[in-house]
Amino acid sequence: MRIKSKLPNLTESIFSTMSALAKEYDAINLSQGFPNFETSKELQHLVFKAMQDGYNQYAPMRGDAELREMIARKIENLYGVKYCSHQEITITAGATEAIFNAVASVITTGDEVLIFKPAFDSYEPVVKLNGGVPVFIQLYYPNYKVDWNLVASKITHKTKMIIFNSPLNPTGTLFDVQDLLALQNLVTGTNIVVLSDEVYEHMTYDGQVHKSICEFPVLREHSFLIASFGKTFHNTGWKIGYCAAPKILMDEFVKVHEFNVFSINTPYQKAFATFLKDANNYKYLNTFYQDKRDLFLEGIKNSKFTFVPSKGTYFQLLKYDQITDENDVEFAKRLVREFKIATIPISVFNTHFLDEKVLRFCFAKTDETIIKATKILCKIQ
Ligand code: GLN
């Protein structure tokens, strides 16, 4: 039998490759972004309790009503903006499902989607699966500044969506008010939709604050705001996220959601509905991760790697051009084999595999793991 692949050039994701390699060589895994410490015991008990209380059948299609209400309140507390919990919020199987639904609900054959590179790896295939045409805007190490005039020049009558991600995975860049105003300016008076991936909203450092698209009135009306509990509550394996969007967008989003997964597992939603009542459960995440980022940077300050401190996400980029001129994928693989430390090479997220000799390190790890890793990194000459 022959089938025509819809994604003929797609190979295994770098996250799978590096995590598998880390396992094979028993390496410290700072590649795929996930914590190596436990999610809250209280939250785990809330899940068991919800199961014991009989919440084991289908949840409502858009998600548990109480959880959607708690999310609406969380957004209002953080950003001062209201979303209707009945009509404008949907619980999803992680942010990844939300990204898929948002794209699938508005993109059709030939529609152009602007994507900033380096970009999280799911954006491009999802756009292509839906017949869309990704249009890339490459940003550069170390500051990854957006040239908004360049972005404006890429907009055509076919542009249907702009995918925006702040704090930005994989670079740790945080876009500021000026960037969001520029983005708002671009979409004002158009039918361009923004997909705003804000899964690292609670991880910003050095006193800098995350600005959400919803704080900008025109952007709020044009955007799918996507967030993740996995990142915020240290349980990426639970795969629960959500999307908030104005009714006109959400009505289309739920059509995809309903026939994609229908609804998300019930007991976990019940647990999050209770857990979110206490804002202390997520308010201090920036301090928690700032300590880890600082521990990591302190540990490598005498190494041959160079860096600009991460402004957000739980990733830190390190440049290694003073160590070797090897290609970043080759160097990353050698680090696993020879030094037992796994990282993510940035070129795989760039246009034309642009290699700026930069690797991504995930510092969502126990202090012990971070210290062990930095000691190894200091030995690499
Ligand atoms: N978001 C995580 C990262 O950037 C991993 C996602 C994945 O493995 N698909 O590392």
Side-chain angles (χ1 to χ4, degrees), residues 13 15-16 31-34 96 120-121 169 200 231 314-315 344 349 360:
S13 94
F15 302 117
S16 306
S31 62
Q32 196 175 24
F34 64 89
T96 300
F120 182 57
D121 67 344
N169 176 14
Y200 299 99
K231 305 289 185 294
Y314 46 43
F315 304 116
I344 295 286
F349 305 118
R360 189 194 80 172

Side-chain angles (χ1 to χ4, degrees), residues 202-203 205 231-234 281-290:
H202 298 296
M203 297 167 209
Y205 310 123
K231 305 289 185 294
T232 304
F233 299 113
H234 320 310
N281 285 328
Y282 54 82
K283 249 173 51 189
Y284 302 108
L285 202 63
N286 48 4
T287 332
F288 174 79
Y289 274 121
Q290 167 118 30

